[in-house]
Amino acid sequence: MPTGLKRYQQSKQFHFITFSCYHRQPFLKTPEAKTTFEQVLEQVRLRHTLAIAGYVVMPEHVHLLVDEPPVTPLATVLQVLKQTTSRRLKHPSAEHFWQTRYYDFNVSSYGKYLEKLRYLHRNPVKRGLVESPEDYPWSSFRRYALREKGTVTIEAE
């Protein structure tokens, strides 16, 4: 990971967040693991008033498009999310579940917002997991395309 990484939080912008499983191991490969992550994400969203515009849970990483919570710093909310999922999903013999850092891109325009939302929704297709984004149940795509309610409440426009 790069040293001296600067984060621009408390900027009143959306953030495109990516974090990976330890050594990019596919710890989220099972449907049960992905569903557990979604359940924890929804609990964290409710507890910290986190606005989630989009997400996708991949076998070895997660993408989120989120706004900044009104009270708790985003970094703290992400720490809670990662710690809670780790406690629920980490195998007892495993040393770690998540990589310690995360990628944070400030979304400063509506064009970038749409770009990041499209990117995360297309990720399962690009990786060859499904043929179409609506075929992948562990993302926010079906909320946008089909108006389906899922485990995670999405702040869609």
Side-chain angles (χ1 to χ4, degrees):
M1 289 304 245
T3 57
L5 186 64
K6 298 242 188 262
R7 301 227 186 267
Y8 296 98
Q9 296 184 355
Q10 286 80 42
S11 63
K12 307 292 185 215
Q13 295 177 331
F14 273 85
H15 294 260
F16 178 70
I17 304 289
T18 302
F19 49 91
S20 300
C21 295
Y22 190 65
H23 289 246
R24 295 206 42 102
Q25 293 294 309
F27 295 145
L28 297 167
K29 68 182 172 190
T30 67
E32 296 79 18
K34 288 188 218 40
T35 300
T36 297
F37 180 86
E38 285 182 317
Q39 291 167 345
V40 173
L41 179 59
E42 178 63 9
Q43 292 167 358
V44 168
R45 183 195 71 77
L46 287 168
R47 182 175 176 204
H48 295 282
T49 320
L50 179 67
I52 301 171
Y55 76 94
V56 64
V57 185
M58 300 294 287
E60 71 293 316
H61 70 282
V62 173
H63 294 298
L64 303 172
L65 184 59
V66 297
D67 202 352
E68 295 175 355
V71 177
T72 310
L74 181 57
T76 302
V77 172
L78 293 173
Q79 180 182 21
V80 169
L81 175 62
K82 289 171 74 175
Q83 285 176 344
T84 305
T85 54
S86 178
R87 281 189 207 112
R88 291 194 188 171
L89 295 173
K90 185 172 76 69
H91 190 276
S93 66
E95 188 177 345
H96 301 285
F97 190 88
W98 299 110
Q99 288 293 123
T100 56
R101 308 281 305 257
Y102 61 91
Y103 172 77
D104 181 358
F105 177 87
N106 287 65
V107 179
S108 58
S109 70
Y110 186 66
K112 279 290 179 192
Y113 175 92
L114 290 177
E115 175 188 310
K116 298 302 184 185
L117 193 59
R118 284 185 188 118
Y119 174 85
L120 67 87
H121 286 153
R122 300 269 322 147
N123 205 223
V125 175
K126 182 179 175 189
R127 288 278 307 283
L129 300 176
V130 292
E131 289 191 24
S132 179
E134 62 264 17
D135 297 334
Y136 196 75
W138 302 284
S139 86
S140 54
F141 183 83
R142 295 177 68 85
R143 167 62 177 91
Y144 284 94
L146 306 173
R147 301 288 184 227
E148 285 184 4
K149 291 193 178 205
T151 303
V152 180
T153 300
I154 300 300
E155 303 289 334
E157 296 182 312

